[in-house]
Structure formats: structure tokens, C-alpha cells
Amino acid sequence: MTSYEKLLLKNKNWAKEEIDNDPEFFKRLSALQTPEFLWIGCSDSRVPADKITGTQPGEIFVHRNIANMVIHTDVNLLSVLDFAVNHLKVKHVIVCGHYGCGGIKAAMTNHDYKYVLNMWLRNIKDVYRLYREELSAIANEELRADRLVELNVKEQVMHLAKTSIIQRAWLNEKRPHLHGWVYGLKDGIIHPVFEMNAGTPIDPLYEYDDL
Ligand code: CO
């Protein structure tokens, strides 16, 4: 059996188990999804949103990209955010990075990853530049990368608050609560590192006054 055939077989087994446990499971889910959370995580295969949070299908709306970035020209991310906030009415948006993130480590090198990856990693280099003083004081390279993971998550949460999507929802509905988390690959534990409640003041430069 090839590796991908194994996936299809495991899928059949999983579907059968779910139905055995709860005969209405798929019927209920196919009619409606009412997730309370939007998860913006890293594409890394070792950080599966539902598994590490013990959540079931229907509970988390998920967007993943390299190094869990919130980039204000990313139509994919912004569409997911718009739909989750304005249609699904999520109460929480979680940006979850992880220690040992390859994207973060790559951005700390001077290596030329060629056109598209350079473009993406450039956004992480910009975060490094903002916190250069703090980061360059950390001699150990692994610890420095881990600190950049935390600071990057914080910056991406702040990027969410700079969107009119979040500002409008904060003004009109006092939600969603924004969270910055970091997952530890070595121990499986999630560490909250930053949060912004609805209405948290932001740099006035990014505030819209005609929402
Ligand atoms: Co990663």
C-alpha cells in the first residue's frame, strides 16, 4: 500500500469510528458550523490546531501559513478573517506560533531562499528589526530564535488590530478577543504570550475614525 492510500484507508476507519460513537455526528456537522475560535497557525506539520487543543471538527476555523503571519496584503488571510469575524461571529482569534519554527529561523539567516520565500520571510525580518536591540542581547542562537517567535506572534496580533475588520467588530460587538500563543514542540504545552481585548488602544496612526 502506498503512503497516500494509507491516508484514504485511515480516513474510512476514522469516519466509521465517529459514526459508531455518535451516529448523528456527520449529519449535524454537515448542516452547520458554529466555531467560537479562529486559529491562525504555522503550516508546520507538528502543530495541528485541533489535536493540540483537544477540539473536535466544527470547533475551530483554521488558517495556516509559514510562521503564522498576518500580512495586510494577504487576500487569503484577510478573507478568512472577514468570514470568521463577520459571518461565523467568532469570539476569539488565536495567533499561535511555535518554538523551533523553521520560518523564523530562516528569516534570521542571510540565505537567499529565492523569489517567493524571500518575499514572505522579509516580513519576519521586519519584526526582527523592530526588536533588534532586545534580540541581539541574547547570545544563544536558539533562545534568540525562540524570543523572535514570541515577538513575532505579538506583532501579528497587533497587525490583526490594525485591520478595519477587527476595529469594526470591536466597536460594534465588543469582540473578538485576540490571543498570541506559542506552542512548545518539545513538551506539547501552549504558552499565552500576548492578548488584546476588544477596545484595547492601538497606535492612533492605524485607527479608522469612520467605521
Ligand atoms: Co513554523
Side-chain angles (χ1 to χ4, degrees):
M1 194 185 299
T2 64
S3 55
Y4 75 88
E5 283 171 331
K6 213 180 278 174
L7 297 187
L8 295 171
L9 182 67
K10 288 211 171 171
N11 163 257
K12 281 202 186 76
N13 293 342
W14 170 78
K16 189 180 172 307
E17 263 175 44
E18 292 296 332
I19 289 174
D20 286 348
N21 288 338
D22 176 2
E24 299 296 305
F25 184 72
F26 292 110
K27 207 171 153 191
R28 203 171 53 241
L29 276 177
S30 61
L32 183 71
Q33 65 161 344
T34 53
E36 199 178 310
F37 308 97
L38 165 61
W39 175 278
I40 300 169
C42 183
S43 296
D44 193 304
S45 63
R46 298 164 294 179
V47 195
D50 51 352
K51 204 153 196 170
I52 65 175
T53 55
T55 44
Q56 297 298 316
E59 290 190 82
I60 304 192
F61 200 65
V62 173
H63 176 86
R64 288 167 73 176
N65 62 42
I66 292 175
N68 40 269
M69 301 301 287
V70 175
I71 294 168
H72 70 279
T73 50
D74 180 352
V75 177
N76 185 352
L77 177 278
L78 292 174
S79 302
V80 168
L81 182 67
D82 188 353
F83 185 71
V85 170
N86 293 320
H87 295 267
L88 296 173
K89 309 276 183 192
V90 296
K91 295 194 182 91
H92 303 272
V93 180
I94 298 157
V95 177
C96 188
H98 64 102
Y99 296 122
C101 183
I104 296 288
K105 285 186 197 163
M108 291 170 72
T109 73
N110 294 102
H111 186 73
D112 174 6
Y113 286 92
K114 305 294 180 303
Y115 179 56
V116 180
L117 280 176
N118 283 347
M119 220 165 80
W120 193 258
L121 297 176
R122 159 67 199 280
N123 296 286
I124 305 170
K125 286 179 185 282
D126 289 344
V127 176
Y128 192 108
R129 179 172 48 78
L130 277 178
Y131 296 95
R132 192 197 297 270
E133 206 174 322
E134 176 183 345
L135 288 165
S136 48
I138 305 171
N140 180 293
E141 209 167 313
E142 198 181 330
L143 294 178
R144 193 160 73 240
D146 284 349
R147 183 60 183 146
L148 180 55
V149 166
E150 294 170 354
L151 294 169
N152 183 56
V153 158
K154 178 182 171 190
E155 279 299 312
Q156 304 320 308
V157 170
M158 294 199 298
H159 285 171
L160 287 174
K162 290 171 190 165
T163 65
S164 58
I165 298 169
I166 291 297
Q167 289 182 27
R168 195 172 293 114
W170 277 6
L171 182 69
N172 297 327
E173 301 182 38
K174 307 280 176 270
R175 65 166 183 89
H177 190 161
L178 309 180
H179 307 263
W181 292 356
V182 178
Y183 173 76
L185 288 178
K186 289 178 182 165
D187 59 8
I189 302 295
I190 294 172
H191 304 268
V193 294
F194 187 66
E195 65 178 324
M196 293 178 89
N197 269 308
T200 302
I202 64 167
D203 184 328
L205 185 63
Y206 297 97
E207 260 176 39
Y208 296 102
D209 61 5
D210 56 350
L211 293 164

